[in-house]
Amino acid sequence: MLKKALFSLFALLVTGGALLLGATFIHGQYYLNLQHQQLVRMTDNVNAELRLVSKQFSLFGSEHRYHLQMPEEEQATPVASSPLEFVNSAVYWPHKVEITTELVAPAAWQSQLDNERLPIQAITEVNFLGEINGEVMMDNWLIEDPMLGVVQFQPALMSYQGGAEALLLDLNWDGFSINGLAGEARLAGLRLEVDAVPLGGGFYTGSSNLFITSLDASDDTMQLSLKDFAVENGLTEQADRLEQRINLGWQAISINPGMGLYHSAQSHLKMSVSGLDKGAWMNAKNASQQAELSAEDAQQLLLALLQKGLAIDINALKLNLQDANLTAQLHLKLPPNELTEFSQLPLLKEELTGDGKLVVDHRLLQLLPIPPDFIQQMVALGYIGFDETTEQYRTEAELQQGQLHLNGQALPL
């Protein structure tokens, strides 16, 4: 009786262990196949070719080796013309899968490195609930490329996590520098932040922010310096409406030493589009990804977007060229409507309301391709005012019931 009980217990343990190992292996293969499908979709979008060149399996892991070939027009150097090779090494556990992704160094670089793998590594963990956590780590390293010259990569750290509820990504990269035949380039202080929540159908609400402290490039004829580049983009959901917010800022300096030319520019934009119908917006985003979209379908999508009304607010627009300034504000509002035919779209002109302000330095208008006679005529008619003390042109706009007024003067539309 005791032998039978021990044999039954042993058989139960073996069966349970086999099931656990089998489930672990299936779980690991499922996420590797899912990752493969995502890679294929991503490369299809950039017309690159992804090829799985080898597979190796063990009881608790596997290794997949890929080749990624970029389009011919982007193969400007020996590094770019050879396929990008990377390896996914997976280790299976009963409760998670750990995938390590490593890049294989191009042939022109391998003799300068300790092994064939580049000193950059991504480690991703996926648990049985489908939740993803991972990190990308890169050390400081330097190589010499036949075309690019001396290339130095500086440390980078990226963390990411996601699942059914949210996607979080945080990248910090000190940057890189290149000094070769084509000139010099240096990137410093790249930061990317993404905080997104699934909206459905592959769309997300949330925010994404991109910052670059500086980007400097030069060759024999030109020097360019881009500073404090920042793009802040947010999409929020309020019941069945959406609000898109965009903040953009940058400043740049370019110099042509041979011709003695110096140009400076900087800009800032703070804009929002609110009141968008969520369903119509998602349909429009989905349709925009299709290869072909008829004019009739595009017209119906536009009408659907406008039917519940919207508001466009440019709360700040600033432009500086050669130390001459432009500042502006604009607010437009469209109430809900029942238009069903695209031919009725001009009727919305009567429903639009809005206001705006514009201040432009006289020196800036001289830099823009605007005929001086046109500006003088607008001043003479009272649509634009000129302040001789500050040498600025100013105007205030108001739109009501289809009629536009500039500085209080009606302007025919």
Side-chain angles (χ1 to χ4, degrees), residues 206-250:
S207 62
S208 60
N209 304 315
L210 171 65
F211 306 98
I212 297 176
T213 301
S214 66
L215 175 62
D216 298 288
S218 63
D219 56 22
D220 293 338
T221 61
M222 182 69 70
Q223 298 176 15
L224 172 66
S225 179
L226 178 68
K227 305 291 184 185
D228 299 327
F229 179 85
V231 180
E232 302 177 13
N233 182 30
L235 182 66
T236 56
E237 180 183 10
Q238 299 175 353
D240 61 344
R241 305 293 184 90
L242 297 173
E243 179 180 0
Q244 183 88 46
R245 303 181 314 279
I246 298 174
N247 293 336
L248 169 66
W250 55 269

Side-chain angles (χ1 to χ4, degrees), residues 257-293:
M259 301 182 66
L261 297 178
Y262 170 90
H263 296 281
S264 65
Q266 64 183 75
S267 176
H268 177 70
L269 171 67
K270 186 176 182 179
M271 176 180 177
S272 68
V273 180
S274 57
L276 292 169
D277 178 73
K278 181 174 69 175
W281 182 85
M282 292 176 64
N283 291 337
K285 293 279 284 187
N286 191 32
S288 67
Q289 299 175 359
Q290 298 177 6
E292 295 183 3
L293 183 66

Side-chain angles (χ1 to χ4, degrees), residues 172-191:
N172 281 284
W173 185 19
D174 289 348
F176 70 92
S177 61
I178 298 174
N179 185 350
L181 295 177
E184 300 180 11
R186 182 183 299 273
L187 172 70
L190 172 64
R191 181 175 177 85

Side-chain angles (χ1 to χ4, degrees), residues 284-408:
K285 293 279 284 187
N286 191 32
S288 67
Q289 299 175 359
Q290 298 177 6
E292 295 183 3
L293 183 66
S294 67
E296 291 78 10
D297 289 339
Q299 292 170 1
Q300 291 304 313
L301 287 170
L302 176 60
L303 289 175
L305 276 172
L306 298 178
Q307 279 180 348
K308 291 190 176 180
L310 59 83
I312 300 175
D313 295 289
I314 300 178
N315 294 310
L317 172 60
K318 298 179 180 180
L319 176 65
N320 180 290
L321 295 176
Q322 302 291 79
D323 297 325
N325 297 295
L326 176 151
T327 61
Q329 293 180 343
L330 177 65
H331 306 281
L332 290 174
K333 187 174 182 180
L334 177 69
N337 60 85
E338 298 181 357
L339 297 188
T340 57
E341 299 292 335
F342 191 73
S343 59
Q344 300 173 323
L345 196 61
L347 298 177
L348 293 180
K349 181 181 70 173
E350 304 294 328
E351 304 293 331
L352 270 174
T353 59
D355 60 80
K357 295 180 180 180
L358 176 66
V359 179
V360 187
D361 287 350
H362 172 66
R363 289 182 296 111
L364 179 60
L365 289 180
Q366 293 177 320
L367 300 174
L368 301 176
I370 300 176
D373 292 343
F374 172 76
I375 301 297
Q376 296 305 320
Q377 185 180 12
M378 295 292 285
V379 172
L381 293 172
Y383 295 129
I384 299 177
F386 181 68
D387 188 328
E388 294 184 357
T389 303
T390 60
E391 294 188 333
Q392 291 178 327
Y393 293 95
R394 299 172 178 267
T395 188
E396 295 189 7
E398 184 178 7
L399 179 63
Q400 294 286 343
Q401 297 180 342
Q403 179 62 61
L404 176 63
H405 290 80
L406 293 180
N407 277 354

